Amino acid sequence: MMRRIYLLLAALTTASVSANDTVGVDFEVTADAAACTPALSNNGIADFGTRNAGSLSANAFTQLGTRELTLTITCESSTALAITSRDTRSSSVRVGEDTGRTIGPHFSANGGLNVAYASRLFGLGVTAENKPIGSYAILINTGSIVALDGSQNVSVDMAGSESKSGPWARLDHYLLPAAESYFYTFVKKGTVVPQAVSSVSVPLQVSASVANNLGSSQKISLDGEAVISIVYL
């Protein structure tokens, strides 16, 4: 069974005067199961502040930077679980070179990472003229995960698989998938054996990249929606 969180990304506004760069993440939970309850920090809002529309590049994609959220999962008892996700705006994904000639939303993790492969990119919706606005990606910060098994702290790594049944493998980066095509689970430190947890805090980084030539005389609002699912193993 799956328990789902709905993430809504909204409200990048570009106008002739200013741009209100806010990525909002909201959620609601289905009643698929009662074993584990998920929640997001800061009401799911990743705020990129306000900028002048003239600061958006006319010739290249503009990186909006990275903001952090925390996914917390609390279970009634210790449970082995995995995380996956999907994009409900996949048809609006647009990716291109930024001013540094790199492609895709940028993260600073592990010396720098740009996400350019479609299976890990989420769409930001379209303008009134039906122009795709750009794309974003969601990275799990595996080095800062905090987990409990009952009342005991447990040291965990993450591992990934194309199936919720495994086999599980360690990866260089843990980017949420756009089509529930990949799963991530918590594993015992130094192994690829799933670790049951009673609660876990999972830091997430959200990075967005906005296309050029979107027009600056009208309001442009992000309209992204991702769905994170908790899968019981």
PDB file of all heavy atoms in Angstrom, residues 1 3 33-37 73-83 147-150 154 156 184-187 193-200 230-233:
ATOM      1  N   MET A   1       0.835  -1.197   0.000  1.00  0.00           N
ATOM      2  CA  MET A   1       0.000   0.000   0.000  1.00  0.00           C
ATOM      3  C   MET A   1       0.866   1.242   0.000  1.00  0.00           C
ATOM      4  O   MET A   1       2.020   1.211   0.405  1.00  0.00           O
ATOM      5  CB  MET A   1      -0.906   0.011   1.237  1.00  0.00           C
ATOM      6  CG  MET A   1      -2.007  -1.044   1.210  1.00  0.00           C
ATOM      7  SD  MET A   1      -3.159  -0.857   2.570  1.00  0.00           S
ATOM      8  CE  MET A   1      -2.103  -1.333   3.932  1.00  0.00           C
ATOM      9  N   ARG A   3       0.986   5.571   0.939  1.00  0.00           N
ATOM     10  CA  ARG A   3       0.415   6.753   1.556  1.00  0.00           C
ATOM     11  C   ARG A   3       1.041   7.947   0.849  1.00  0.00           C
ATOM     12  O   ARG A   3       2.251   8.030   0.723  1.00  0.00           O
ATOM     13  CB  ARG A   3       0.734   6.784   3.060  1.00  0.00           C
ATOM     14  CG  ARG A   3      -0.080   7.800   3.853  1.00  0.00           C
ATOM     15  CD  ARG A   3       0.182   7.603   5.344  1.00  0.00           C
ATOM     16  NE  ARG A   3      -0.554   8.536   6.156  1.00  0.00           N
ATOM     17  CZ  ARG A   3      -1.785   8.336   6.596  1.00  0.00           C
ATOM     18  NH1 ARG A   3      -2.417   7.227   6.274  1.00  0.00           N
ATOM     19  NH2 ARG A   3      -2.383   9.231   7.354  1.00  0.00           N
ATOM     20  N   ALA A  33      -3.681   4.015   4.187  1.00  0.00           N
ATOM     21  CA  ALA A  33      -3.196   3.221   5.309  1.00  0.00           C
ATOM     22  C   ALA A  33      -2.957   4.135   6.497  1.00  0.00           C
ATOM     23  O   ALA A  33      -2.814   5.341   6.349  1.00  0.00           O
ATOM     24  CB  ALA A  33      -1.894   2.502   4.926  1.00  0.00           C
ATOM     25  N   ALA A  34      -2.922   3.571   7.704  1.00  0.00           N
ATOM     26  CA  ALA A  34      -2.772   4.374   8.909  1.00  0.00           C
ATOM     27  C   ALA A  34      -1.457   4.123   9.619  1.00  0.00           C
ATOM     28  O   ALA A  34      -1.211   4.671  10.674  1.00  0.00           O
ATOM     29  CB  ALA A  34      -3.939   4.082   9.870  1.00  0.00           C
ATOM     30  N   ALA A  35      -0.579   3.295   9.051  1.00  0.00           N
ATOM     31  CA  ALA A  35       0.627   2.893   9.766  1.00  0.00           C
ATOM     32  C   ALA A  35       1.613   4.039   9.940  1.00  0.00           C
ATOM     33  O   ALA A  35       2.225   4.185  10.985  1.00  0.00           O
ATOM     34  CB  ALA A  35       1.297   1.726   9.054  1.00  0.00           C
ATOM     35  N   CYS A  36       1.799   4.872   8.927  1.00  0.00           N
ATOM     36  CA  CYS A  36       2.776   5.957   8.961  1.00  0.00           C
ATOM     37  C   CYS A  36       2.122   7.261   8.514  1.00  0.00           C
ATOM     38  O   CYS A  36       1.296   7.271   7.603  1.00  0.00           O
ATOM     39  CB  CYS A  36       3.970   5.647   8.074  1.00  0.00           C
ATOM     40  SG  CYS A  36       4.936   4.209   8.587  1.00  0.00           S
ATOM     41  N   THR A  37       2.516   8.354   9.153  1.00  0.00           N
ATOM     42  CA  THR A  37       1.979   9.666   8.828  1.00  0.00           C
ATOM     43  C   THR A  37       3.105  10.586   8.372  1.00  0.00           C
ATOM     44  O   THR A  37       4.072  10.792   9.107  1.00  0.00           O
ATOM     45  CB  THR A  37       1.283  10.290  10.051  1.00  0.00           C
ATOM     46  OG1 THR A  37       0.240   9.431  10.483  1.00  0.00           O
ATOM     47  CG2 THR A  37       0.709  11.660   9.702  1.00  0.00           C
ATOM     48  N   ILE A  73       8.411  11.431   8.667  1.00  0.00           N
ATOM     49  CA  ILE A  73       7.510  10.273   8.628  1.00  0.00           C
ATOM     50  C   ILE A  73       7.474   9.658  10.021  1.00  0.00           C
ATOM     51  O   ILE A  73       8.516   9.293  10.572  1.00  0.00           O
ATOM     52  CB  ILE A  73       7.984   9.236   7.603  1.00  0.00           C
ATOM     53  CG1 ILE A  73       8.143   9.877   6.219  1.00  0.00           C
ATOM     54  CG2 ILE A  73       7.004   8.058   7.542  1.00  0.00           C
ATOM     55  CD1 ILE A  73       8.847   8.987   5.207  1.00  0.00           C
ATOM     56  N   THR A  74       6.281   9.546  10.590  1.00  0.00           N
ATOM     57  CA  THR A  74       6.108   8.968  11.924  1.00  0.00           C
ATOM     58  C   THR A  74       5.192   7.751  11.817  1.00  0.00           C
ATOM     59  O   THR A  74       4.073   7.852  11.300  1.00  0.00           O
ATOM     60  CB  THR A  74       5.503   9.991  12.888  1.00  0.00           C
ATOM     61  OG1 THR A  74       6.308  11.176  12.894  1.00  0.00           O
ATOM     62  CG2 THR A  74       5.422   9.428  14.302  1.00  0.00           C
ATOM     63  N   CYS A  75       5.669   6.599  12.301  1.00  0.00           N
ATOM     64  CA  CYS A  75       4.930   5.342  12.171  1.00  0.00           C
ATOM     65  C   CYS A  75       4.426   4.861  13.537  1.00  0.00           C
ATOM     66  O   CYS A  75       5.050   5.125  14.564  1.00  0.00           O
ATOM     67  CB  CYS A  75       5.815   4.272  11.544  1.00  0.00           C
ATOM     68  SG  CYS A  75       6.461   4.727   9.911  1.00  0.00           S
ATOM     69  N   GLU A  76       3.319   4.139  13.535  1.00  0.00           N
ATOM     70  CA  GLU A  76       2.762   3.589  14.766  1.00  0.00           C
ATOM     71  C   GLU A  76       3.686   2.548  15.382  1.00  0.00           C
ATOM     72  O   GLU A  76       3.708   2.360  16.595  1.00  0.00           O
ATOM     73  CB  GLU A  76       1.384   2.986  14.483  1.00  0.00           C
ATOM     74  CG  GLU A  76       0.350   4.026  14.052  1.00  0.00           C
ATOM     75  CD  GLU A  76      -0.963   3.392  13.649  1.00  0.00           C
ATOM     76  OE1 GLU A  76      -1.036   2.143  13.618  1.00  0.00           O
ATOM     77  OE2 GLU A  76      -1.913   4.141  13.351  1.00  0.00           O
ATOM     78  N   SER A  77       4.425   1.853  14.540  1.00  0.00           N
ATOM     79  CA  SER A  77       5.446   0.907  14.990  1.00  0.00           C
ATOM     80  C   SER A  77       6.528   0.862  13.928  1.00  0.00           C
ATOM     81  O   SER A  77       6.349   1.356  12.817  1.00  0.00           O
ATOM     82  CB  SER A  77       4.843  -0.493  15.200  1.00  0.00           C
ATOM     83  OG  SER A  77       4.272  -0.978  13.996  1.00  0.00           O
ATOM     84  N   SER A  78       7.676   0.308  14.257  1.00  0.00           N
ATOM     85  CA  SER A  78       8.793   0.282  13.306  1.00  0.00           C
ATOM     86  C   SER A  78       8.392  -0.465  12.035  1.00  0.00           C
ATOM     87  O   SER A  78       7.857  -1.585  12.093  1.00  0.00           O
ATOM     88  CB  SER A  78      10.016  -0.377  13.947  1.00  0.00           C
ATOM     89  OG  SER A  78      10.520   0.457  14.967  1.00  0.00           O
ATOM     90  N   THR A  79       8.648   0.163  10.907  1.00  0.00           N
ATOM     91  CA  THR A  79       8.182  -0.333   9.618  1.00  0.00           C
ATOM     92  C   THR A  79       9.253  -0.118   8.557  1.00  0.00           C
ATOM     93  O   THR A  79       9.891   0.936   8.519  1.00  0.00           O
ATOM     94  CB  THR A  79       6.896   0.417   9.191  1.00  0.00           C
ATOM     95  OG1 THR A  79       5.914   0.316  10.224  1.00  0.00           O
ATOM     96  CG2 THR A  79       6.343  -0.135   7.895  1.00  0.00           C
ATOM     97  N   ALA A  80       9.455  -1.091   7.694  1.00  0.00           N
ATOM     98  CA  ALA A  80      10.328  -0.903   6.535  1.00  0.00           C
ATOM     99  C   ALA A  80       9.514  -0.237   5.434  1.00  0.00           C
ATOM    100  O   ALA A  80       8.412  -0.683   5.097  1.00  0.00           O
ATOM    101  CB  ALA A  80      10.876  -2.243   6.059  1.00  0.00           C
ATOM    102  N   LEU A  81      10.024   0.842   4.893  1.00  0.00           N
ATOM    103  CA  LEU A  81       9.268   1.587   3.893  1.00  0.00           C
ATOM    104  C   LEU A  81      10.202   2.174   2.844  1.00  0.00           C
ATOM    105  O   LEU A  81      11.417   2.199   3.004  1.00  0.00           O
ATOM    106  CB  LEU A  81       8.440   2.685   4.565  1.00  0.00           C
ATOM    107  CG  LEU A  81       9.170   3.668   5.481  1.00  0.00           C
ATOM    108  CD1 LEU A  81       9.742   4.845   4.715  1.00  0.00           C
ATOM    109  CD2 LEU A  81       8.220   4.183   6.565  1.00  0.00           C
ATOM    110  N   ALA A  82       9.599   2.645   1.764  1.00  0.00           N
ATOM    111  CA  ALA A  82      10.339   3.295   0.687  1.00  0.00           C
ATOM    112  C   ALA A  82       9.598   4.554   0.270  1.00  0.00           C
ATOM    113  O   ALA A  82       8.426   4.752   0.612  1.00  0.00           O
ATOM    114  CB  ALA A  82      10.500   2.348  -0.505  1.00  0.00           C
ATOM    115  N   ILE A  83      10.301   5.417  -0.469  1.00  0.00           N
ATOM    116  CA  ILE A  83       9.743   6.670  -0.960  1.00  0.00           C
ATOM    117  C   ILE A  83       9.822   6.677  -2.486  1.00  0.00           C
ATOM    118  O   ILE A  83      10.834   6.285  -3.067  1.00  0.00           O
ATOM    119  CB  ILE A  83      10.529   7.873  -0.410  1.00  0.00           C
ATOM    120  CG1 ILE A  83      10.438   7.935   1.116  1.00  0.00           C
ATOM    121  CG2 ILE A  83      10.005   9.186  -1.007  1.00  0.00           C
ATOM    122  CD1 ILE A  83      11.393   8.953   1.721  1.00  0.00           C
ATOM    123  N   ALA A 147      16.976   8.992  12.028  1.00  0.00           N
ATOM    124  CA  ALA A 147      15.993   7.907  12.112  1.00  0.00           C
ATOM    125  C   ALA A 147      15.961   7.290  13.503  1.00  0.00           C
ATOM    126  O   ALA A 147      16.969   7.254  14.216  1.00  0.00           O
ATOM    127  CB  ALA A 147      16.307   6.828  11.073  1.00  0.00           C
ATOM    128  N   LEU A 148      14.777   6.799  13.865  1.00  0.00           N
ATOM    129  CA  LEU A 148      14.588   6.056  15.111  1.00  0.00           C
ATOM    130  C   LEU A 148      13.985   4.703  14.802  1.00  0.00           C
ATOM    131  O   LEU A 148      13.143   4.565  13.906  1.00  0.00           O
ATOM    132  CB  LEU A 148      13.641   6.802  16.063  1.00  0.00           C
ATOM    133  CG  LEU A 148      14.112   8.121  16.684  1.00  0.00           C
ATOM    134  CD1 LEU A 148      12.978   8.721  17.514  1.00  0.00           C
ATOM    135  CD2 LEU A 148      15.341   7.911  17.544  1.00  0.00           C
ATOM    136  N   ASP A 149      14.405   3.692  15.566  1.00  0.00           N
ATOM    137  CA  ASP A 149      13.766   2.376  15.574  1.00  0.00           C
ATOM    138  C   ASP A 149      13.279   2.180  16.996  1.00  0.00           C
ATOM    139  O   ASP A 149      14.051   1.870  17.896  1.00  0.00           O
ATOM    140  CB  ASP A 149      14.759   1.289  15.181  1.00  0.00           C
ATOM    141  CG  ASP A 149      14.134  -0.102  15.167  1.00  0.00           C
ATOM    142  OD1 ASP A 149      12.914  -0.205  15.382  1.00  0.00           O
ATOM    143  OD2 ASP A 149      14.878  -1.079  14.954  1.00  0.00           O
ATOM    144  N   GLY A 150      11.986   2.421  17.215  1.00  0.00           N
ATOM    145  CA  GLY A 150      11.476   2.486  18.581  1.00  0.00           C
ATOM    146  C   GLY A 150      12.013   3.743  19.240  1.00  0.00           C
ATOM    147  O   GLY A 150      11.903   4.847  18.708  1.00  0.00           O
ATOM    148  N   VAL A 154      19.009   5.129  15.100  1.00  0.00           N
ATOM    149  CA  VAL A 154      19.663   4.174  14.209  1.00  0.00           C
ATOM    150  C   VAL A 154      20.367   4.949  13.107  1.00  0.00           C
ATOM    151  O   VAL A 154      19.864   5.946  12.588  1.00  0.00           O
ATOM    152  CB  VAL A 154      18.665   3.161  13.600  1.00  0.00           C
ATOM    153  CG1 VAL A 154      18.189   2.185  14.653  1.00  0.00           C
ATOM    154  CG2 VAL A 154      17.488   3.854  12.950  1.00  0.00           C
ATOM    155  N   VAL A 156      21.429   5.239   9.438  1.00  0.00           N
ATOM    156  CA  VAL A 156      20.949   4.664   8.184  1.00  0.00           C
ATOM    157  C   VAL A 156      21.601   5.337   6.978  1.00  0.00           C
ATOM    158  O   VAL A 156      22.029   6.485   7.033  1.00  0.00           O
ATOM    159  CB  VAL A 156      19.408   4.779   8.054  1.00  0.00           C
ATOM    160  CG1 VAL A 156      18.715   4.006   9.147  1.00  0.00           C
ATOM    161  CG2 VAL A 156      18.962   6.237   8.040  1.00  0.00           C
ATOM    162  N   TYR A 184      13.251   4.617  -3.179  1.00  0.00           N
ATOM    163  CA  TYR A 184      14.367   4.772  -2.240  1.00  0.00           C
ATOM    164  C   TYR A 184      13.940   4.247  -0.881  1.00  0.00           C
ATOM    165  O   TYR A 184      12.841   4.546  -0.405  1.00  0.00           O
ATOM    166  CB  TYR A 184      14.765   6.242  -2.107  1.00  0.00           C
ATOM    167  CG  TYR A 184      15.243   6.867  -3.390  1.00  0.00           C
ATOM    168  CD1 TYR A 184      14.535   7.905  -3.986  1.00  0.00           C
ATOM    169  CD2 TYR A 184      16.404   6.415  -4.012  1.00  0.00           C
ATOM    170  CE1 TYR A 184      14.977   8.479  -5.168  1.00  0.00           C
ATOM    171  CE2 TYR A 184      16.851   6.983  -5.195  1.00  0.00           C
ATOM    172  CZ  TYR A 184      16.128   8.012  -5.760  1.00  0.00           C
ATOM    173  OH  TYR A 184      16.572   8.577  -6.932  1.00  0.00           O
ATOM    174  N   THR A 185      14.815   3.470  -0.247  1.00  0.00           N
ATOM    175  CA  THR A 185      14.524   2.956   1.081  1.00  0.00           C
ATOM    176  C   THR A 185      15.669   3.281   2.032  1.00  0.00           C
ATOM    177  O   THR A 185      16.774   3.637   1.612  1.00  0.00           O
ATOM    178  CB  THR A 185      14.282   1.432   1.056  1.00  0.00           C
ATOM    179  OG1 THR A 185      13.734   1.033   2.315  1.00  0.00           O
ATOM    180  CG2 THR A 185      15.570   0.655   0.792  1.00  0.00           C
ATOM    181  N   PHE A 186      15.391   3.181   3.326  1.00  0.00           N
ATOM    182  CA  PHE A 186      16.404   3.371   4.360  1.00  0.00           C
ATOM    183  C   PHE A 186      17.034   2.013   4.660  1.00  0.00           C
ATOM    184  O   PHE A 186      16.326   1.013   4.830  1.00  0.00           O
ATOM    185  CB  PHE A 186      15.758   3.954   5.621  1.00  0.00           C
ATOM    186  CG  PHE A 186      14.943   5.184   5.322  1.00  0.00           C
ATOM    187  CD1 PHE A 186      13.559   5.100   5.208  1.00  0.00           C
ATOM    188  CD2 PHE A 186      15.552   6.404   5.125  1.00  0.00           C
ATOM    189  CE1 PHE A 186      12.796   6.221   4.909  1.00  0.00           C
ATOM    190  CE2 PHE A 186      14.811   7.535   4.826  1.00  0.00           C
ATOM    191  CZ  PHE A 186      13.435   7.438   4.712  1.00  0.00           C
ATOM    192  N   VAL A 187      18.357   1.988   4.675  1.00  0.00           N
ATOM    193  CA  VAL A 187      19.062   0.717   4.884  1.00  0.00           C
ATOM    194  C   VAL A 187      20.012   0.838   6.065  1.00  0.00           C
ATOM    195  O   VAL A 187      20.443   1.938   6.441  1.00  0.00           O
ATOM    196  CB  VAL A 187      19.855   0.303   3.615  1.00  0.00           C
ATOM    197  CG1 VAL A 187      18.904   0.023   2.465  1.00  0.00           C
ATOM    198  CG2 VAL A 187      20.880   1.361   3.221  1.00  0.00           C
ATOM    199  N   VAL A 193      20.495  -3.551   3.197  1.00  0.00           N
ATOM    200  CA  VAL A 193      19.387  -4.265   3.846  1.00  0.00           C
ATOM    201  C   VAL A 193      18.421  -3.241   4.427  1.00  0.00           C
ATOM    202  O   VAL A 193      18.814  -2.414   5.265  1.00  0.00           O
ATOM    203  CB  VAL A 193      19.910  -5.177   4.969  1.00  0.00           C
ATOM    204  CG1 VAL A 193      18.740  -5.885   5.651  1.00  0.00           C
ATOM    205  CG2 VAL A 193      20.909  -6.189   4.421  1.00  0.00           C
ATOM    206  N   PRO A 194      17.141  -3.231   4.016  1.00  0.00           N
ATOM    207  CA  PRO A 194      16.189  -2.254   4.537  1.00  0.00           C
ATOM    208  C   PRO A 194      16.126  -2.270   6.063  1.00  0.00           C
ATOM    209  O   PRO A 194      16.137  -3.330   6.690  1.00  0.00           O
ATOM    210  CB  PRO A 194      14.854  -2.698   3.923  1.00  0.00           C
ATOM    211  CG  PRO A 194      15.256  -3.327   2.625  1.00  0.00           C
ATOM    212  CD  PRO A 194      16.540  -4.065   2.942  1.00  0.00           C
ATOM    213  N   GLN A 195      16.062  -1.063   6.637  1.00  0.00           N
ATOM    214  CA  GLN A 195      16.013  -0.861   8.077  1.00  0.00           C
ATOM    215  C   GLN A 195      14.619  -0.376   8.462  1.00  0.00           C
ATOM    216  O   GLN A 195      14.128   0.635   7.940  1.00  0.00           O
ATOM    217  CB  GLN A 195      17.046   0.190   8.501  1.00  0.00           C
ATOM    218  CG  GLN A 195      16.887   0.715   9.913  1.00  0.00           C
ATOM    219  CD  GLN A 195      17.226  -0.319  10.973  1.00  0.00           C
ATOM    220  OE1 GLN A 195      18.314  -0.894  10.954  1.00  0.00           O
ATOM    221  NE2 GLN A 195      16.305  -0.553  11.899  1.00  0.00           N
ATOM    222  N   ALA A 196      13.959  -1.090   9.361  1.00  0.00           N
ATOM    223  CA  ALA A 196      12.668  -0.637   9.877  1.00  0.00           C
ATOM    224  C   ALA A 196      12.869   0.620  10.720  1.00  0.00           C
ATOM    225  O   ALA A 196      13.829   0.718  11.487  1.00  0.00           O
ATOM    226  CB  ALA A 196      12.020  -1.742  10.706  1.00  0.00           C
ATOM    227  N   VAL A 197      11.978   1.583  10.574  1.00  0.00           N
ATOM    228  CA  VAL A 197      12.051   2.825  11.333  1.00  0.00           C
ATOM    229  C   VAL A 197      10.684   3.132  11.946  1.00  0.00           C
ATOM    230  O   VAL A 197       9.644   2.807  11.379  1.00  0.00           O
ATOM    231  CB  VAL A 197      12.503   3.994  10.453  1.00  0.00           C
ATOM    232  CG1 VAL A 197      13.933   3.782   9.960  1.00  0.00           C
ATOM    233  CG2 VAL A 197      11.565   4.203   9.266  1.00  0.00           C
ATOM    234  N   SER A 198      10.721   3.770  13.111  1.00  0.00           N
ATOM    235  CA  SER A 198       9.475   4.242  13.720  1.00  0.00           C
ATOM    236  C   SER A 198       9.242   5.713  13.399  1.00  0.00           C
ATOM    237  O   SER A 198       8.108   6.184  13.384  1.00  0.00           O
ATOM    238  CB  SER A 198       9.505   4.039  15.233  1.00  0.00           C
ATOM    239  OG  SER A 198      10.625   4.678  15.807  1.00  0.00           O
ATOM    240  N   SER A 199      10.324   6.441  13.161  1.00  0.00           N
ATOM    241  CA  SER A 199      10.229   7.809  12.659  1.00  0.00           C
ATOM    242  C   SER A 199      11.509   8.150  11.928  1.00  0.00           C
ATOM    243  O   SER A 199      12.578   7.607  12.218  1.00  0.00           O
ATOM    244  CB  SER A 199       9.976   8.810  13.790  1.00  0.00           C
ATOM    245  OG  SER A 199      11.099   8.908  14.632  1.00  0.00           O
ATOM    246  N   VAL A 200      11.388   9.063  10.978  1.00  0.00           N
ATOM    247  CA  VAL A 200      12.557   9.456  10.195  1.00  0.00           C
ATOM    248  C   VAL A 200      12.356  10.877   9.693  1.00  0.00           C
ATOM    249  O   VAL A 200      11.249  11.285   9.331  1.00  0.00           O
ATOM    250  CB  VAL A 200      12.793   8.467   9.024  1.00  0.00           C
ATOM    251  CG1 VAL A 200      11.626   8.456   8.056  1.00  0.00           C
ATOM    252  CG2 VAL A 200      14.095   8.756   8.317  1.00  0.00           C
ATOM    253  N   ILE A 230       4.646   7.104   0.128  1.00  0.00           N
ATOM    254  CA  ILE A 230       5.341   6.219   1.063  1.00  0.00           C
ATOM    255  C   ILE A 230       4.839   4.800   0.796  1.00  0.00           C
ATOM    256  O   ILE A 230       3.643   4.539   0.820  1.00  0.00           O
ATOM    257  CB  ILE A 230       5.065   6.621   2.512  1.00  0.00           C
ATOM    258  CG1 ILE A 230       5.581   8.037   2.766  1.00  0.00           C
ATOM    259  CG2 ILE A 230       5.704   5.631   3.486  1.00  0.00           C
ATOM    260  CD1 ILE A 230       5.154   8.588   4.100  1.00  0.00           C
ATOM    261  N   VAL A 231       5.761   3.914   0.508  1.00  0.00           N
ATOM    262  CA  VAL A 231       5.429   2.544   0.138  1.00  0.00           C
ATOM    263  C   VAL A 231       5.886   1.606   1.239  1.00  0.00           C
ATOM    264  O   VAL A 231       7.049   1.646   1.665  1.00  0.00           O
ATOM    265  CB  VAL A 231       6.111   2.155  -1.189  1.00  0.00           C
ATOM    266  CG1 VAL A 231       5.713   0.748  -1.600  1.00  0.00           C
ATOM    267  CG2 VAL A 231       5.789   3.166  -2.276  1.00  0.00           C
ATOM    268  N   TYR A 232       5.002   0.736   1.717  1.00  0.00           N
ATOM    269  CA  TYR A 232       5.356  -0.212   2.767  1.00  0.00           C
ATOM    270  C   TYR A 232       5.964  -1.461   2.124  1.00  0.00           C
ATOM    271  O   TYR A 232       5.416  -2.043   1.202  1.00  0.00           O
ATOM    272  CB  TYR A 232       4.116  -0.574   3.597  1.00  0.00           C
ATOM    273  CG  TYR A 232       3.487   0.639   4.231  1.00  0.00           C
ATOM    274  CD1 TYR A 232       2.302   1.169   3.719  1.00  0.00           C
ATOM    275  CD2 TYR A 232       4.085   1.270   5.317  1.00  0.00           C
ATOM    276  CE1 TYR A 232       1.724   2.289   4.284  1.00  0.00           C
ATOM    277  CE2 TYR A 232       3.522   2.390   5.871  1.00  0.00           C
ATOM    278  CZ  TYR A 232       2.335   2.914   5.362  1.00  0.00           C
ATOM    279  OH  TYR A 232       1.781   4.039   5.906  1.00  0.00           O
ATOM    280  N   LEU A 233       7.128  -1.872   2.633  1.00  0.00           N
ATOM    281  CA  LEU A 233       7.838  -2.998   2.061  1.00  0.00           C
ATOM    282  C   LEU A 233       7.409  -4.311   2.712  1.00  0.00           C
ATOM    283  O   LEU A 233       6.908  -4.340   3.828  1.00  0.00           O
ATOM    284  CB  LEU A 233       9.341  -2.806   2.234  1.00  0.00           C
ATOM    285  CG  LEU A 233       9.930  -1.523   1.637  1.00  0.00           C
ATOM    286  CD1 LEU A 233      11.439  -1.491   1.831  1.00  0.00           C
ATOM    287  CD2 LEU A 233       9.559  -1.392   0.164  1.00  0.00           C
TER     288      LEU A 233
END
